[in-house]
Amino acid sequence: MIRTLPNSRAYTTAYRLFIAVFFIFLFSPLLITMILAFNNSMFPSLPWKGFTLDWFFGRGPDKIGIFHDDSNLRSIFTSIRVAVAVSALSTLVGTMAAFLFEHEDFKFKQAFYFLMLAPLVIPGVILGISILLFTNAVGLFFEDKLGLDMRFLAPGYWLVVFGQFSFITTITTMTISARLKKFDRTLEEAAYNLGANKLEVLRFITLKYLRPSIVGAAAIAFLMSFENFNTTLFLVGSDQTLPINLYLQVRDGSTPVINAIAFILITFTSIVAVANLYGGNKKNQT
Amino acid sequence: MKNSKPHKIRWSFIIFFIPVALWLFLLIVFPHLELLKMSFTGTDFYGKSGFTLENYGEFFKEPIYWRTFARTALYSIFVTFIVLVISLPVTFYITKIAKIKSQGFLTILVLIPFWVSELIRVYGWIILLRESGVINKFLLKIGIFKVPHEMLYNDITMVMGLVYTSMLFMIVPIIGVMESLDDALIEAAYDLGAKKTTIWRKIIIPYVTPGIMSGSIIVFMLVLGSYLTPKLMGGKNALWFTEQIYNSMIIYFNWNQGAAFGFLLLLLSSLIIFVALKVTRQDFKEVVK
């Protein structure tokens, strides 16, 4: 049954087989996508026609690699700009929310706490259309009543940032709260007794203690923003983010340049994920 | 702390409270109130807008709408169930059967695809399964298929795709709980002669229920609100409800209708989660931790 108990041979073998099939199921689509990025063919499929790096570095005319593909490069750049903003904003507000819910006491705290958790159970599509409808209504109000043209309330960069921020902040709040919960507040008192003021205590004691979780939350926020599709779909303007741009290409059929992008993304996210896990594990022990 | 300095303004509280309140009201509460309002708004014959039940009426009048809705709900429950059935033995293997040395490695291995965007994962399956795809080419070569078969665009493939894209959100919370299950409990039951099924039913499942609940809620939510997987892998003559919302909002530009659909989807997800929590007697706050 478990490793300390005797198991029949058949049971162990069957279980191992199941796990092997599970991992093949888990990784085969990713591996095949990565391998076909190097296939010297116009289509992302077999047969294997030899190794090439054209889908990364090709200059055309028939094979345009990712590093010369303007449309995809532009959308990667847009996604990075969005992800940096979302990551910074949601980590900042998430830290404040963590302090608010862990260290402060106020009326309706429970209600606010539930509200903070709500984005976890709101489908991303709904969040997207609600924010679209609301910003549109606010934009119209400003235009009609005050004659102001609020550009940032129209679908585009800022709306995408707001939309992703609205639910990613819940994740950062929970990540940072989890660590703040374990914080020993006598450390703060000790610092006060030694003559530190409020800002110094915050900077040198509390924030320093929280730093691993803040860095982790920022990394998670960046990745979640970078790959978000559902909420972004309704808020995006003419500057498409990478997932939206890729979606249009996959839907309408495209060249293996998508495989090259996938190769870069999978490699990059794996490195960040492993670094985050490794860093997180190390810090948890202290 | 609150009562010790009653007339002094608590600056720290104000500094923390304002951004959080702005976030929750401007981006969560007000937008959803607007959604609700829009769903009850309609334009009459003269172009004047006012209160109406028409948008919801349309949903019940047109079978295609409520059939899509019911289909989406039932498939989401079904997918959540399949995901659970696969995740339990996998998490059990990782936490209780695999060598302690390889546990960390296996966990990271399971987590990596979780970080890769849904689109890339679906794209991988498209490359594998389509008519000119890798699996077809392989089966033709070894002589199992005589002609290529289209394996995409049907409900079975769509369910598999949904299971694939959401499975990790079940595995992660269950691993978290199962790790803390004391092996001695299972050993004791085993020594007392309990069968495997009994150990699962009486010890393991009850113990990991909080993990199962949080996993199920996230998976159900993701599947219900998923757009990419049903759109790119599902059958061409049956829609997912999110596609219906997208069509109303973006293609027909009928925001009131889209708002009504959106609100119905929100209502459905909240209702099913509420019932699930009540049935298993779990607390929402504990479950999402």
Side-chain angles (χ1 to χ4, degrees), chain B residues 195-249:
Chain B
K195 279 185 298 197
K196 283 195 181 85
T197 45
T198 317
I199 296 180
W200 271 98
R201 224 182 48 234
K202 298 268 180 182
I203 298 175
I204 301 170
I205 305 263
Y207 189 83
V208 297
T209 298
I212 291 179
M213 279 318 291
S214 41
S216 301
I217 287 179
I218 299 172
V219 167
F220 175 76
M221 276 277 318
L222 284 177
V223 173
L224 192 71
S226 131
Y227 178 84
L228 278 174
T229 312
K231 175 91 184 169
L232 294 174
M233 293 174 89
K236 292 295 179 203
N237 43 18
L239 290 175
W240 203 250
F241 201 65
T242 48
E243 292 176 71
Q244 201 78 265
I245 295 176
Y246 182 83
N247 292 348
S248 301
M249 294 285 298

Side-chain angles (χ1 to χ4, degrees), chain A residues 3 281, chain B residues 91-92 94-96 100 103-104 107 171-183 207-208:
Chain A
R3 57 180 98 73
N281 282 348
Chain B
T91 49
F92 189 70
I94 292 176
T95 54
K96 299 289 168 201
I100 295 185
Q103 259 178 35
T107 313
I171 291 181
V172 171
I174 298 184
I175 283 186
V177 184
M178 210 180 275
E179 254 173 354
S180 66
L181 171 60
D182 192 348
D183 286 7
Y207 189 83
V208 297

Side-chain angles (χ1 to χ4, degrees), chain A residues 68-120:
Chain A
H68 297 281
D69 183 335
D70 286 340
S71 148
N72 279 317
L73 279 183
R74 208 178 311 128
S75 65
I76 290 177
F77 186 62
T78 306
S79 280
I80 291 177
R81 269 173 55 218
V82 170
V84 167
V86 169
S87 173
L89 276 175
S90 63
T91 313
L92 181 71
V93 178
T95 311
M96 290 175 162
F99 276 111
L100 184 70
F101 290 116
E102 295 302 327
H103 284 182
E104 303 288 338
D105 209 5
F106 54 101
K107 254 191 194 166
F108 307 120
K109 185 172 166 180
Q110 280 300 317
F112 268 92
Y113 193 71
F114 268 101
L115 208 54
M116 186 275 288
L117 294 176
L120 290 179

Side-chain angles (χ1 to χ4, degrees), chain B residues 36-49:
Chain B
L36 186 62
K37 194 189 118 202
M38 282 292 270
S39 74
F40 283 109
T41 309
T43 323
D44 70 5
F45 199 67
Y46 307 100
K48 227 175 135 249
S49 57

Side-chain angles (χ1 to χ4, degrees), chain B residues 18-90:
Chain B
I18 287 175
V20 175
L22 282 177
W23 158 40
L24 294 176
F25 280 95
L26 288 183
L27 292 173
I28 309 292
V29 176
F30 293 155
H32 287 88
L33 289 177
E34 178 69 20
L35 180 78
L36 186 62
K37 194 189 118 202
M38 282 292 270
S39 74
F40 283 109
T41 309
T43 323
D44 70 5
F45 199 67
Y46 307 100
K48 227 175 135 249
S49 57
F51 176 85
T52 178
L53 291 171
E54 192 59 27
N55 304 316
Y56 291 96
E58 194 72 9
F59 173 80
F60 292 104
K61 251 190 310 203
E62 292 286 336
I64 181 165
Y65 293 147
W66 57 260
R67 274 196 199 135
T68 306
F69 189 72
R71 183 182 121 92
T72 307
L74 291 177
Y75 265 121
S76 302
I77 296 173
F78 179 62
V79 168
T80 310
F81 179 73
I82 304 259
V83 168
L84 176 63
V85 168
I86 299 177
S87 301
L88 278 175
V90 170

Side-chain angles (χ1 to χ4, degrees), chain A residues 1-7 11 15-16 18-19 22-23 25-30 32-33 36 44-47 93 96-97 99-101 103-107 110 112-127 129-134 136-137 162-163 165-167 169-170 173-174 181 185 198 202 220 223-224 227 229-230 233-234 242-243 246-247 250-251 254-256 258-259 261-262 265-266 269-270 273-274 276-277, chain B residues 1-2 10 12-13 15-17 19-21 23-32 34-35 38 86 88-90 92-100 103 106 108-121 123-128 130 132 134 137 160 163-164 167-168 171 183 186-187 190-191 196 199-200 204 217 221 224-228 231-232 242 245-246 249-250 255 258-259 262 265-266 269 273 283-285 288-289:
Chain A
M1 182 87 204
I2 56 175
R3 57 180 98 73
T4 47
L5 295 174
N7 289 311
Y11 175 81
Y15 218 130
R16 286 226 177 107
F18 169 76
I19 294 298
F22 170 77
F23 275 106
F25 173 67
L26 209 57
F27 279 95
S28 55
L30 298 183
I32 208 76
T33 307
L36 288 179
S45 63
L46 290 177
V93 178
M96 290 175 162
F99 276 111
L100 184 70
F101 290 116
H103 284 182
E104 303 288 338
D105 209 5
F106 54 101
K107 254 191 194 166
Q110 280 300 317
F112 268 92
Y113 193 71
F114 268 101
L115 208 54
M116 186 275 288
L117 294 176
L120 290 179
V121 290
I122 302 173
V125 170
I126 310 292
L127 214 49
I129 61 171
S130 304
I131 291 175
L132 175 67
L133 293 175
F134 178 62
N136 182 64
F162 291 151
F165 166 84
S166 70
F167 72 95
T169 311
T170 301
T173 304
M174 289 168 72
K181 260 195 191 77
R185 294 202 76 177
K198 260 195 157 167
L202 190 68
I220 292 170
L223 283 180
M224 285 185 83
E227 67 171 41
F229 181 86
N230 287 352
L233 182 65
F234 292 91
L242 184 65
L246 285 180
Y247 162 72
V250 169
R251 194 188 60 185
S254 97
T255 63
I258 299 187
N259 296 61
I261 299 174
L265 285 186
I266 294 171
T269 45
S270 307
V274 171
N276 199 7
L277 281 172
Chain B
M1 199 170 154
K2 196 162 60 176
R10 282 182 299 145
S12 64
F13 170 74
I15 290 168
F16 296 145
F17 184 76
V20 175
W23 158 40
L24 294 176
F25 280 95
L26 288 183
L27 292 173
I28 309 292
V29 176
F30 293 155
H32 287 88
E34 178 69 20
L35 180 78
M38 282 292 270
I86 299 177
L88 278 175
V90 170
F92 189 70
Y93 184 85
I94 292 176
T95 54
K96 299 289 168 201
I97 297 181
K99 292 194 188 72
I100 295 185
Q103 259 178 35
L106 285 177
I108 289 180
L109 216 54
V110 171
L111 282 175
I112 284 176
F114 153 93
W115 287 112
V116 179
S117 95
E118 182 186 358
L119 190 89
I120 305 280
R121 289 181 275 171
Y123 178 67
W125 281 113
I126 293 177
I127 291 180
L128 281 172
R130 68 172 154 208
S132 58
V134 172
K137 288 272 161 65
M160 188 220 65
V163 167
Y164 182 81
M167 191 162 49
L168 298 142
I171 291 181
D183 286 7
I186 296 174
E187 287 160 4
Y190 181 86
D191 290 342
K196 283 195 181 85
I199 296 180
W200 271 98
I204 301 170
I217 287 179
M221 276 277 318
L224 192 71
S226 131
Y227 178 84
L228 278 174
K231 175 91 184 169
L232 294 174
T242 48
I245 295 176
Y246 182 83
M249 294 285 298
I250 307 291
W255 283 14
L265 192 69
L266 188 62
S269 67
I273 290 168
D283 182 27
F284 178 64
K285 242 169 61 190
V288 295
K289 247 207 289 226

